[in-house]
């Protein structure tokens, strides 16, 4: 065939892929269209303060790259202790490549772009896996990919958590492992055939001739797998851990009825996987060392019970057509952690499909993963409608295992998403096969009706956005530079996870100053336990209490001395009171703590404390 005809043939073969990818991308844009329409001041209201945090991550990564500074840690937040960026899932895998976008268009554009490409990419990657390794029908594969990319948990995390939305590398890792296993199996069969042939001819086997080819193939597979895992580490380690556990369970059950074949496959791919692990370590050893042993590192984080309520498994997600009609009792951890919410119709359809196709090994493995990880997501004791039944569950024995103890247990249901998608994909393929045999067969129509019954209520709606207040002119216009001399800005009260607006103001100023406090994960005390936000300073706690109660606290000499000590700890240059709740109470409180009244400059009240704190080291 001529080159133009070969190109035309490729286009025809890829037509389905193009149609599917266009559909996924259109749906992703639609879901986030509210944010896309207002990239200047739009804010995903259900993100809490997480959107501000992620925008700051992307902005500070671009700032560090542009200024050739170390991106793994920064002193711009939580001054003077700083923040370990690797321990905060800063997503360097997208933050660094998208630095030009962030510098040109701002971190909000980067944030919504990452979320959009994450939904689209995750759906298309699973579609690619299903269409190449599981089923012949592109339509069946597209249905499975659609569920993987736009499942309730994915839409919920699209409000605030790019690290749980950009999951496209996980199916590619699975695809690589599947092909490695298949290649090992093919080599084993060829070896058996060669040995049988040469034994029949009573000639020595010539297997050594294949060693160079085999070694080259193993190295190629190892490098690909190692690179994919390293890239996923740069995107998010918690999703990788959940995926690795679920894939291991899937493989174990898949080979359960043929243990010899499973053991042979495991032994065959082990050298290739070990080499891939070495490649991954070589690519990530410096970032991982920084994460676990560098400045402001921590060993684990105590997040308390974060399990799914049993009712959440059967309800419809809030951002869906079903949720608009029947949203049920609110039993989610928060709006960004609706990690189950599959809806009762889907469970009925998946259960019936799994029973009807139980003979298929992939279905048995997928069903086991679904049940096992759903049970794990329920936590240590069973909760039903916010009521603790006291019934002990398997997570009780695992919640103190290193690495697992930092995972939010409700997120384990995300392992069920591709498993459920696999069952739906195989069921759709079987229905299409019936349809090919007989156009009047009732079973395909029944299945498609069941799919519509299960999936239509889960159709995502547009994520709601609001307009956030503009950055105070004091920061946006650069006035802050006149008040900073190698020290920090102390916002009143200092930023914390419940109110992290100051991070955006700092980014809008061009990172002209470091901030006391902030929204991040860092160690507390000397225990190496992680916590959200900085260690509590007495003055920060006093100001926060005054704001919440709207009452000026008693300010004595001890409180003034403590305020001076805290300002020296923060190496403060200026205290700033922007427009906020109960600002008059805060202003009068700081006046008494500092000993002189505030000055109103460019939309904020400020106290220049450089003379009060004294000289400092320019470093």
């Amino acid at each position: 065939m001529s080159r133009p005809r070969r190109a035309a043939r490729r286009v025809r073969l890829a037509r389905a892929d193009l149609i599917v990818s266009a559909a996924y991308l259109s749906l992703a844009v639609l879901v986030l269209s509210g944010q896309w329409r207002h990239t200047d001041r739009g804010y995903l209201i259900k993100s809490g303060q997480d959107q501000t945090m992620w925008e700051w991550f992307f902005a500070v990564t671009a700032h560090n790259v542009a200024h050739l500074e170390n991106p793994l840690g920064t002193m711009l937040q939580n001054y003077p202790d700083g923040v370990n960026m690797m321990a905060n899932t800063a997503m360097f895998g997208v933050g660094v490549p998208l630095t030009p976008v962030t510098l040109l268009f701002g971190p909000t554009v980067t944030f919504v772009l990452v979320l959009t490409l994450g939904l689209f990419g995750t759906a298309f990657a699973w579609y690619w896996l299903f269409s190449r390794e599981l089923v012949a029908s592109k339509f069946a594969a597209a249905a499975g990919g659609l569920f993987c990319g736009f499942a309730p948990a994915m839409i919920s995390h699209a409000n605030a958590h790019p690290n749980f939305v950009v999951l496209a590398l996980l199916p590619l890792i699975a695809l690589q492992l599947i092909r490695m296993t298949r290649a090992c199996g093919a080599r084993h069969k060829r070896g058996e055939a060669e040995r049988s042939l040469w034994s029949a001819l009573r000639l020595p086997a010539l297997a050594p001739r294949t060693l160079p080819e085999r070694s080259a193939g193993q190295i190629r597979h190892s490098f690909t797998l190692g690179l994919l895992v390293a890239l996923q580490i740069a995107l998010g380690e918690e999703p990788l851990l959940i995926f690795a556990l679920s894939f291991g369970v899937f493989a174990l059950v898949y080979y359960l009825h043929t243990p010899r074949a499973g053991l042979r496959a495991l032994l065959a791919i082990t050298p290739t996987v070990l080499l891939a692990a070495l490649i991954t370590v070589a690519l990530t050893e410096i970032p991982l060392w920084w994460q676990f042993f560098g400045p402001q590192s921590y060993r684990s984080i105590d997040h308390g019970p974060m399990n799914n309520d049993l009712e959440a498994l059967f309800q419809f997600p809030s951002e869906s057509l079903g949720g608009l009609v029947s949203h049920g009792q609110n039993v989610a951890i928060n709006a960004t952690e609706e990690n189950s919410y599959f809806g009762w119709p889907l469970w009925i359809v998946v259960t019936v499909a799994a029973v009807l196709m139980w003979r298929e090994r992939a279905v048995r493995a997928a069903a086991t993963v679904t049940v096992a990880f759903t049970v794990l997501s329920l936590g240590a004791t069973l909760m039903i409608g916010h009521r603790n039944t006291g019934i002990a569950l398997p997570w009780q024995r695992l919640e103190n295992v290193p690495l697992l103890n930092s995972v939010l247990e409700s997120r384990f249901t995300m392992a069920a998403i591709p498993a459920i998608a696999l069952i739906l994909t195989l069921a759709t393929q079987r229905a299409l096969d019936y349809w090919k045999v007989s156009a009047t067969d009732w079973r395909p129509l029944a299945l498609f009706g069941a799919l519509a019954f299960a999936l239509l209520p889960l159709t995502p709606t547009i994520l709601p956005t609001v307009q956030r207040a503009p950055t105070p002119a004091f920061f946006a216009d650069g006035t802050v530079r006149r008040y900073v001399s190698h020290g920090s800005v102390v916002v009143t009260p200092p930023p914390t996870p419940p109110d992290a607006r100051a991070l955006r103001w700092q980014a809008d100023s061009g990172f002209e100053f470091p901030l006391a406090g902030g929204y991040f994960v860092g160690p507390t005390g000397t225990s190496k336990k992680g916590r959200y936000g900085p260690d509590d300073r007495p003055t920060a706690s006093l100001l926060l209490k005054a704001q919440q109660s709207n009452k000026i606290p008693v300010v004595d000499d001890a409180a003034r001395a403590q305020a001076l000590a805290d300002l020296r700890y923060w190496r403060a240059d200026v205290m700033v009171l922007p427009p906020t709740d109960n600002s008059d109470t805060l202003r009068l409180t700081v006046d008494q703590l500092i000993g002189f009244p505030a000055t109103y400059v460019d939309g904020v009240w400020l106290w220049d404390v450089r003379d009060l704190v004294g000289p400092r080291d320019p470093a």
Side-chain angles (χ1 to χ4, degrees):
M1 296 176 63
S2 63
R3 182 176 298 178
R5 292 184 64 187
R6 287 199 303 269
R9 183 173 180 270
R10 292 194 194 100
V11 170
R12 286 196 302 273
L13 293 176
R15 185 181 302 164
D17 296 342
L18 293 174
I19 294 173
V20 170
S21 63
Y24 289 161
L25 183 59
S26 299
L27 182 56
V29 171
L30 178 63
V31 168
L32 290 158
S33 59
Q35 184 66 75
W36 273 116
R37 288 197 301 268
H38 305 286
T39 55
D40 51 347
R41 291 175 56 188
Y43 196 86
L44 292 167
I45 186 59
K46 292 191 174 182
S47 71
Q49 295 296 303
D50 286 351
Q51 179 173 341
T52 298
M53 179 190 70
W54 279 102
E55 289 178 354
W56 188 88
F57 284 161
F58 292 137
V60 80
T61 297
H63 173 81
N64 289 336
V65 171
H67 291 80
L68 301 180
E69 297 175 359
N70 177 19
L72 302 178
T74 182
M75 301 294 288
L76 289 169
Q77 190 180 166
N78 192 37
Y79 193 79
D81 298 320
V83 174
N84 188 321
M85 296 289 284
M86 265 303 295
N88 277 268
T89 319
M91 291 189 75
F92 296 123
V94 292
V96 172
L98 292 178
T99 289
V101 175
T102 306
L103 295 177
L104 289 173
F105 304 105
T108 303
V109 172
T110 302
F111 176 73
V112 67
L113 178 63
V114 169
L115 291 174
T116 303
L117 294 180
L119 293 174
F120 156 72
T122 302
F124 188 76
W126 281 108
Y127 157 78
W128 187 271
L129 172 63
F130 293 154
S131 63
R132 269 63 183 177
E133 299 294 336
L134 186 66
V135 293
S137 167
K138 296 291 183 72
F139 177 80
L146 179 68
F147 185 76
C148 288
F150 298 91
M154 296 290 291
I155 301 302
S156 177
H157 284 290
N159 279 292
H161 303 150
N163 58 321
F164 271 91
V165 175
V166 183
L167 305 179
L169 293 184
L170 299 181
L172 298 184
I173 293 172
L175 180 62
Q176 186 63 22
L177 288 168
I178 292 169
R179 290 179 173 175
M180 286 165 51
T181 305
R182 179 182 293 113
C184 292
R187 284 198 298 269
H188 175 77
K189 291 181 179 179
R190 284 200 306 270
E192 291 287 344
E194 289 176 0
R195 283 192 292 272
S196 299
L197 175 62
W198 298 119
S199 175
L201 298 176
R202 300 190 182 280
L203 295 173
L206 301 180
R209 290 190 310 176
T210 66
L211 286 177
E213 177 186 350
R214 183 178 307 175
S215 298
Q218 288 176 335
I219 292 173
R220 184 175 63 254
H221 285 309
S222 295
F223 180 79
T224 302
L225 180 61
L227 180 61
L228 288 172
V229 174
L231 288 174
Q232 180 57 48
I233 288 174
L235 294 175
E237 297 166 19
E238 191 175 348
L240 178 61
L241 175 61
I242 296 172
F243 165 78
L245 294 173
S246 61
F247 191 85
V249 172
F250 183 93
L252 179 64
V253 177
Y254 187 82
Y255 283 109
L256 199 58
H257 80 293
T258 56
R260 289 186 178 180
L263 181 60
R264 187 164 57 244
L266 178 63
L267 294 176
I269 69 170
T270 294
T272 309
V273 172
L274 289 177
L275 179 57
L278 291 176
I279 294 171
T280 298
V281 170
L283 294 172
T284 61
E285 58 180 334
I286 293 176
L288 289 178
W289 180 91
W290 193 281
Q291 175 179 348
F292 293 105
F293 304 102
Q296 292 297 104
S297 59
Y298 56 91
R299 297 292 176 266
S300 62
I301 182 168
D302 290 331
H303 49 67
M306 290 289 179
N307 53 292
N308 281 327
D309 193 292
L310 185 64
E311 287 189 6
L313 300 179
F314 304 99
Q315 292 183 5
F316 298 122
S318 57
E319 300 303 326
S320 70
L321 295 181
L324 294 177
V325 177
S326 175
H327 43 76
Q329 181 184 2
N330 182 14
V331 293
I333 298 171
N334 56 56
T336 66
E337 295 289 348
E338 294 185 357
N339 294 309
S340 50
Y341 285 83
F342 293 114
W344 56 269
L346 180 67
W347 286 115
I348 294 175
V349 172
V350 170
T351 301
V352 172
V355 170
L356 294 177
M357 299 187 296
W358 191 252
R359 289 180 175 272
E360 298 199 31
R361 297 161 63 188
V363 171
R364 293 198 298 271
T368 303
V369 168
T370 301
V371 172
F373 283 82
T374 299
V375 171
L376 285 180
S377 77
L378 296 176
T381 57
L382 183 63
M383 299 284 294
I384 302 178
H386 287 309
R387 182 177 61 86
N388 192 338
T389 65
I391 300 174
L393 296 173
W395 179 247
Q396 199 170 71
R397 298 179 177 272
L398 300 174
E399 59 183 345
N400 294 319
V401 175
L403 294 183
L404 290 181
N405 58 0
S406 294
V407 177
L408 270 65
E409 53 267 38
S410 72
R411 293 175 176 174
F412 280 117
T413 41
M414 296 193 72
I417 293 174
I420 292 173
L422 184 148
I423 295 174
L424 296 178
T425 301
L426 286 174
T428 305
Q429 178 67 65
R430 179 169 292 190
L432 292 173
D433 292 340
Y434 287 143
W435 209 339
K436 289 179 181 178
V437 174
S438 173
T440 60
D441 196 324
W442 62 271
R443 286 173 293 186
L445 293 177
L447 176 90
F448 295 143
L451 285 177
F453 172 67
L455 297 181
L456 277 179
L458 302 181
T459 302
T461 55
I462 298 173
L463 299 183
T465 58
V466 295
Q467 295 289 304
R468 53 183 154 191
T471 298
F474 179 76
F475 298 107
D477 296 346
T479 307
V480 64
R481 287 194 292 268
R482 303 206 307 261
Y483 295 90
V484 177
S485 306
H486 308 294
S488 70
V489 171
V490 179
V491 176
T492 306
T496 57
D499 184 2
R501 292 174 299 161
L503 272 63
R504 177 176 175 84
W505 304 337
Q506 182 195 45
D508 287 346
S509 74
F511 294 103
E512 293 287 347
F513 56 88
L515 274 171
Y519 184 9
F520 59 94
V521 182
T524 178
T526 59
S527 64
K528 282 292 186 178
K529 285 281 189 180
R531 62 165 288 173
Y532 293 95
D535 277 335
D536 297 324
R537 302 293 302 180
T539 302
S541 299
L542 184 145
L543 293 173
L544 187 60
K545 183 178 179 181
Q547 183 184 40
Q548 292 172 345
S549 66
N550 197 22
K551 294 180 180 179
I552 301 173
V554 176
V555 177
D556 53 17
D557 291 340
R560 294 186 186 95
Q562 183 62 61
L564 181 58
D566 288 338
L567 289 174
R568 286 174 175 164
Y569 175 83
W570 289 321
R571 304 176 191 177
D573 279 340
V574 63
M575 294 186 70
V576 176
L577 175 59
T580 188
D581 295 337
N582 302 326
S583 59
D584 289 340
T585 299
L586 286 171
R587 178 171 56 84
L588 296 174
T589 301
V590 177
D591 283 347
Q592 295 185 38
L593 286 172
I594 301 302
F596 58 86
T599 303
Y600 193 75
V601 178
D602 276 358
V604 302
W605 292 98
L606 64 84
W607 297 262
D608 189 337
V609 296
R610 285 174 288 189
D611 293 338
L612 184 66
V613 173
R616 72 210 67 238
D617 184 358

